[in-house]
Amino acid sequence: MSQEPSLQDLILGYCQQVGGLVEPPAYGIYEVLLPDDVAARWGFPAHQRFLFAEEEHRAVLEGSATQGSVATEGSAATLLHYGHPLVETVVEELRRQSANGLFFVNNVRLEKPGLFSVIEKAVGLPNAKLFPVPDAVERRRLYHYVRFNFKASLIADEKRELILPIWMHLQSGYPVKSDDIERLAVLDVVNQFKHLDPAELAWLPRPPANPLSEEVLHPLLERARLAARIALGDTLQSLEKRLRRFLELDHARLSQYYDDLQKDAEKRLQKADADHRPALEAKLSAIETERQAKLADVVQKYRLRVDLELVNLAVIAQPKLDLKVEIKKRTAASQRQVAWDPLRHTVEPLACDICGLPGEELHLCENGHLAHAACLAPQCVECKRTFCQKCAESLQNCVVCARPVCVHSLARCPECQRVTCHEHVNLCHAANGEPQRIQAASPEAAASLEKAAPAAAPVPTPHGAELAARRKAAKKRGIPKARTTSVKKPVAGPTGDYVDIYFGAAKPLVSAYVMVKKREIAVRSWELTDGGIAVYCQCGNWYCREDGLVYRPAPDGQIEAQIMSNIRELMAEYHVPEKKLHFYRVVGEAVDARRLILTGRWKDPAALEAARTGFDNLK
Ligand SMILES: [Zn+2]
Ligand SMILES: [Zn+2]
Ligand SMILES: [Zn+2]
Ligand SMILES: [Zn+2]
Ligand SMILES: [Zn+2]
Ligand SMILES: [Zn+2]
């Protein structure tokens, strides 16, 4: 039998892929209802009855054996075979999809009366307002999507492959959901809007003149890879669950087997005379060695690896209408290009300057950046100015109460040069030259600090040596950890009350503590090392698949998002809801923070690049 997909699989599969309904066959005949636009595109009626050449024979046979009428009724069905115009059309469409290519969407009307007010309604700005830019005019320009087709290989005890298309908005640099575009766009090989200029890129600092050059496509591919991993999330999770279950079973089976062997040998050792003892003792230790090796094997066997290979890419060009607008508040302003998509009839969302993802609601930072609420730095307690994470340097912490104060509001002591909020101006060297530490400056701060310090909050300060040792151990391991404090956990996994995240300026380390009744039940840390982002996990699970892993750092500016997605994975593992996540910035002491703010090496492009190179050279 041939491994090639049959004509039937090909056609029916594709009909479903484009949104058609395929009824189960009756006597070898498939009723298919195609979406109207697809039917129009192919030039066939939407309602089809397909009979396949390879099935014809059987249909006739079955028909004649049971119901003679079917064979003759078959004439009402379309007999499909290679060379049939409909088959040719589908094959051609598939061919265009599976090869690198450049396509044009021409089926749009480039008009939108009252564009400014349409944009005004669509863009959510909680702390700013939208204004027209004097002399700005609506422009018709060419925008692009890039569809990256990845082959994702999920490798563990078996290998699963799937094709994963990721659509990226070239001008905005973020992933887009392609359903509507695919449904509405007619892909043409001819550009009917040749006279239009391409729109400029919004996400690269110095975008090249040609938006389709490698300087653009390479970083876009990096972003697409990240999006692909997120898109794989559910698949990976269910796969991992299955693997964990298998691992538990294998582990239990092996443990039982070696326990029995061991008991047996121990019994014999007890009864043995001095002459035989050495041999039996050697046997016992051999059993233990073999047990460790076998357990290491199964851990390896069920470890999930994900490979993403770019198969091909297609560029889809589509004209859009855009307009320059100004986003303004009392203290800051920024101009942005906002595009109207005449295909989907929507205003395209602006991108967050921190994580690069689109935002329905974006905050204007004091320095003109736009950011998601989650991508902001803590707010200044004095003036309530909003800073984004890129501008976290504009904030310092009062040495007395540790609350954030911005450069505009802080007070610097002329004697000791320390920084305080206004409330604590006289306390910066009040305790024998040292700051007087106040934990409860105001009811508000008291509440937040109480939360920040549950009876000696664990502040992670693994020393370099300790980390190196742990890393070595993790690398060597692969075998169950002989952990004296090991906590046995049920397969379903325990539930954490909350997760505390600690991060600080001193070293590029983020630590997450999963807490139950104020006790930590797991600690997972991410450290930026020369070989990438190294993970250390103490969760007590001997099969922990995170411990010892190294991740390739995401593109500059997306590091927070990358660490946050790891944190969310940990939270999912322990069933901790989003609102039970607390952030603490370690600046001498732990300070309540609203989000993860990475600084120092995490934000040093050279350090990140070195880590990526180190990662790429790992294997
Ligand atoms: Zn963001
Ligand atoms: Zn301030
Ligand atoms: Zn900013
Ligand atoms: Zn203060
Ligand atoms: Zn002072
Ligand atoms: Zn772990």
Side-chain angles (χ1 to χ4, degrees):
M1 263 218 165
S2 153
Q3 286 293 327
E4 292 276 298
S6 64
L7 179 65
Q8 177 183 321
D9 293 341
L10 181 89
I11 299 295
L12 296 179
Y14 193 64
C15 286
Q16 280 171 323
Q17 200 184 317
V18 296
L21 288 174
V22 178
E23 291 286 320
Y27 307 110
I29 295 170
Y30 292 84
E31 292 221 29
V32 176
L33 188 62
L34 293 168
D36 287 339
D37 52 334
V38 175
R41 185 165 86 220
W42 293 356
F44 290 90
H47 184 211
Q48 291 283 339
R49 302 181 76 229
F50 292 149
L51 181 62
F52 293 89
E54 54 214 279
E55 290 283 310
E56 182 190 24
H57 182 63
R58 215 175 68 204
V60 171
L61 270 184
E62 279 177 6
S64 58
T66 54
Q67 251 184 319
S69 60
V70 172
T72 48
E73 217 177 68
S75 58
T78 309
L79 177 64
L80 291 184
H81 50 82
Y82 285 102
H84 186 281
L86 192 138
V87 175
E88 293 288 285
T89 306
V90 166
V91 169
E92 172 60 21
E93 217 172 276
L94 275 168
R95 195 188 57 75
R96 276 201 278 153
Q97 278 187 14
S98 60
N100 293 337
L102 175 59
F103 305 102
F104 300 91
V105 178
N106 294 316
N107 60 321
V108 290
R109 264 187 64 218
L110 277 177
E111 261 168 51
K112 188 66 193 173
L115 183 56
F116 178 80
S117 57
V118 173
I119 293 173
E120 203 179 19
K121 278 198 201 91
V123 178
L125 298 165
N127 73 339
K129 278 185 91 169
L130 205 73
F131 296 91
V133 173
D135 304 330
V137 288
E138 296 174 18
R139 287 186 293 179
R140 302 163 167 216
R141 300 195 298 170
L142 216 50
Y143 281 73
H144 304 83
Y145 299 107
V146 181
R147 189 192 60 217
F148 293 98
N149 274 331
F150 291 106
K151 188 172 84 189
S153 307
L154 314 177
I155 308 155
D157 56 325
E158 56 180 36
K159 186 170 167 177
R160 254 177 77 187
E161 286 188 336
L162 48 116
I163 293 291
L164 188 67
I166 297 290
W167 287 62
M168 297 295 291
H169 191 296
L170 183 87
Q171 272 75 15
S172 298
Y174 53 60
V176 288
K177 276 190 131 173
S178 64
D179 315 21
D180 287 346
I181 309 168
E182 286 183 275
R183 190 168 50 80
L184 298 166
V186 178
L187 296 187
D188 207 334
V189 287
V190 181
N191 182 7
Q192 288 174 15
F193 291 90
K194 278 205 182 69
H195 55 288
L196 297 187
D197 290 329
E200 68 266 19
L201 306 186
W203 54 284
L204 279 177
R206 263 169 287 111
N210 174 10
L212 294 175
S213 67
E214 278 197 26
E215 294 156 76
V216 178
L217 292 178
H218 269 293
L220 194 66
L221 171 62
E222 285 292 305
R223 289 178 170 217
R225 277 184 192 283
L226 219 64
R229 289 192 176 264
I230 293 167
L232 278 174
D234 284 353
T235 314
L236 292 184
Q237 232 167 34
S238 65
L239 206 58
E240 266 164 18
K241 216 159 125 188
R242 190 180 66 98
L243 290 172
R244 260 205 292 276
R245 178 79 192 124
F246 286 165
L247 188 51
E248 291 276 341
L249 290 173
D250 271 18
H251 186 259
R253 192 174 49 76
L254 281 171
S255 298
Q256 185 63 51
Y257 175 72
Y258 285 102
D259 282 353
D260 289 350
L261 277 186
Q262 195 185 349
K263 262 186 221 144
D264 194 53
E266 273 165 357
K267 243 184 242 161
R268 281 196 284 153
L269 182 63
Q270 273 171 6
K271 291 185 208 148
D273 52 38
D275 282 359
H276 290 100
R277 291 189 75 89
L280 284 168
E281 270 159 7
K283 172 143 183 134
L284 260 174
S285 93
I287 291 171
E288 188 51 30
T289 311
E290 195 181 309
R291 176 208 296 264
Q292 298 296 341
K294 285 280 193 261
L295 291 178
D297 283 352
V298 296
V299 169
Q300 207 51 45
K301 181 175 164 195
Y302 293 120
R303 191 176 278 270
L304 182 62
R305 268 187 34 229
V306 182
D307 283 345
L308 279 179
E309 185 194 331
L310 179 66
V311 182
N312 57 45
L313 63 85
V315 174
I316 295 104
Q318 188 208 306
K320 291 175 187 173
L321 264 184
D322 64 34
L323 180 63
K324 190 173 264 179
V325 296
E326 185 160 52
I327 295 162
K328 209 155 54 172
K329 61 179 184 182
R330 199 174 50 81
T331 47
S334 173
Q335 293 197 348
R336 301 289 158 127
Q337 201 75 53
V338 183
W340 160 260
D341 177 357
L343 184 74
R344 290 181 290 168
H345 298 278
T346 50
V347 171
E348 300 197 323
L350 288 165
C352 167
D353 290 327
I354 313 309
C355 67
L357 294 173
E360 300 279 305
E361 270 200 348
L362 293 170
H363 297 254
L364 182 62
C365 129
E366 291 308 308
N367 298 322
H369 300 119
L370 287 177
H372 290 113
C375 298
L376 292 174
Q379 197 171 42
C380 170
V381 292
E382 301 272 347
C383 68
K384 310 286 186 212
R385 279 189 176 92
T386 307
F387 292 95
C388 76
Q389 291 184 5
K390 267 189 187 168
C391 302
E393 281 89 62
S394 300
L395 289 159
Q396 295 196 38
N397 294 94
C398 167
V399 293
V400 179
C401 68
R403 293 178 304 163
V405 272
C406 80
V407 286
H408 306 284
S409 315
L410 59 81
R412 191 178 293 279
C413 170
E415 253 172 77
C416 72
Q417 301 299 318
R418 290 192 181 98
V419 164
T420 61
C421 67
H422 277 106
E423 206 173 319
H424 301 123
V425 168
N426 296 317
L427 300 177
C428 52
H429 56 276
N432 295 323
E434 287 299 302
Q436 180 175 329
R437 308 262 180 211
I438 290 186
Q439 301 248 318
S442 65
E444 184 196 333
S448 78
L449 279 166
E450 196 182 320
K451 197 173 59 168
V459 177
T461 49
H463 302 292
E466 189 194 331
L467 282 180
R470 275 164 64 186
R471 189 175 326 151
K472 231 194 226 153
K475 254 200 199 125
K476 246 201 270 167
R477 204 184 42 246
I479 57 169
K481 296 160 222 178
R483 219 176 249 163
T484 46
T485 55
S486 148
V487 192
K488 276 269 154 61
K489 295 197 180 105
V491 186
T495 301
D497 290 341
Y498 54 95
V499 170
D500 286 344
I501 308 295
Y502 287 83
F503 54 91
K507 103 193 326 281
L509 184 76
V510 176
S511 297
Y513 290 76
V514 183
M515 310 292 286
V516 172
K517 297 195 175 73
K518 301 203 171 178
R519 269 191 50 245
E520 54 180 85
I521 56 166
V523 188
R524 191 172 292 172
S525 308
W526 297 268
E527 193 193 9
L528 183 63
T529 70
D530 290 338
I533 300 175
V535 187
Y536 315 103
C537 184
Q538 291 175 296
C539 59
N541 290 323
W542 53 267
Y543 55 67
C544 176
R545 39 160 256 114
E546 288 295 318
D547 194 7
L549 279 191
V550 181
Y551 286 104
R552 191 175 198 279
D556 295 1
Q558 291 179 50
I559 298 292
E560 265 107 352
Q562 185 182 22
I563 301 291
M564 279 311 298
S565 96
N566 278 301
I567 290 172
R568 295 224 159 80
E569 263 176 47
L570 176 70
M571 291 169 67
E573 258 175 61
Y574 287 90
H575 319 286
V576 179
E578 178 82 27
K579 61 172 187 289
K580 295 285 184 175
L581 180 62
H582 311 306
F583 296 95
Y584 303 108
R585 195 171 191 185
V586 184
V587 207
E589 58 176 306
V591 177
D592 200 3
R594 281 196 299 155
R595 357 233 146 251
L596 178 65
I597 304 156
L598 298 177
T599 50
R601 272 170 67 80
W602 289 111
K603 285 300 167 71
D604 177 0
L608 288 172
E609 200 44 48
R612 283 183 207 114
T613 312
F615 178 90
D616 293 340
N617 293 336
L618 262 185
K619 301 169 185 176

PDB file of all heavy atoms in Angstrom, residues 380 383 385 406 409, ligand 2:
ATOM      1  N   CYS A 380       5.289  55.762  40.543  1.00  0.00           N
ATOM      2  CA  CYS A 380       5.904  56.637  41.547  1.00  0.00           C
ATOM      3  C   CYS A 380       4.867  56.960  42.631  1.00  0.00           C
ATOM      4  O   CYS A 380       3.748  57.353  42.314  1.00  0.00           O
ATOM      5  CB  CYS A 380       6.398  57.922  40.893  1.00  0.00           C
ATOM      6  SG  CYS A 380       6.920  59.178  42.073  1.00  0.00           S
ATOM      7  N   CYS A 383       4.202  61.310  42.595  1.00  0.00           N
ATOM      8  CA  CYS A 383       3.528  62.069  41.541  1.00  0.00           C
ATOM      9  C   CYS A 383       2.645  61.192  40.671  1.00  0.00           C
ATOM     10  O   CYS A 383       1.944  61.690  39.800  1.00  0.00           O
ATOM     11  CB  CYS A 383       4.559  62.780  40.668  1.00  0.00           C
ATOM     12  SG  CYS A 383       5.554  61.642  39.693  1.00  0.00           S
ATOM     13  N   ARG A 385       3.296  59.402  38.266  1.00  0.00           N
ATOM     14  CA  ARG A 385       3.655  59.323  36.848  1.00  0.00           C
ATOM     15  C   ARG A 385       3.767  57.864  36.435  1.00  0.00           C
ATOM     16  O   ARG A 385       4.085  56.989  37.234  1.00  0.00           O
ATOM     17  CB  ARG A 385       5.005  59.992  36.597  1.00  0.00           C
ATOM     18  CG  ARG A 385       4.942  61.510  36.468  1.00  0.00           C
ATOM     19  CD  ARG A 385       6.304  62.007  35.998  1.00  0.00           C
ATOM     20  NE  ARG A 385       6.310  63.439  35.751  1.00  0.00           N
ATOM     21  CZ  ARG A 385       6.644  64.348  36.666  1.00  0.00           C
ATOM     22  NH1 ARG A 385       6.964  63.964  37.893  1.00  0.00           N
ATOM     23  NH2 ARG A 385       6.648  65.631  36.355  1.00  0.00           N
ATOM     24  N   CYS A 406      10.108  58.520  41.512  1.00  0.00           N
ATOM     25  CA  CYS A 406      10.714  58.796  40.218  1.00  0.00           C
ATOM     26  C   CYS A 406      11.739  59.919  40.323  1.00  0.00           C
ATOM     27  O   CYS A 406      11.812  60.620  41.334  1.00  0.00           O
ATOM     28  CB  CYS A 406       9.642  59.147  39.200  1.00  0.00           C
ATOM     29  SG  CYS A 406       9.073  60.839  39.306  1.00  0.00           S
ATOM     30  N   SER A 409      10.519  63.247  41.493  1.00  0.00           N
ATOM     31  CA  SER A 409       9.936  63.400  42.827  1.00  0.00           C
ATOM     32  C   SER A 409      10.900  63.090  43.958  1.00  0.00           C
ATOM     33  O   SER A 409      10.658  63.481  45.093  1.00  0.00           O
ATOM     34  CB  SER A 409       8.722  62.474  42.974  1.00  0.00           C
ATOM     35  OG  SER A 409       7.901  62.545  41.849  1.00  0.00           O
TER      36      SER A 409
HETATM   37 ZN    ZN B   2       7.331  60.993  40.750  1.00  0.00          ZN
END
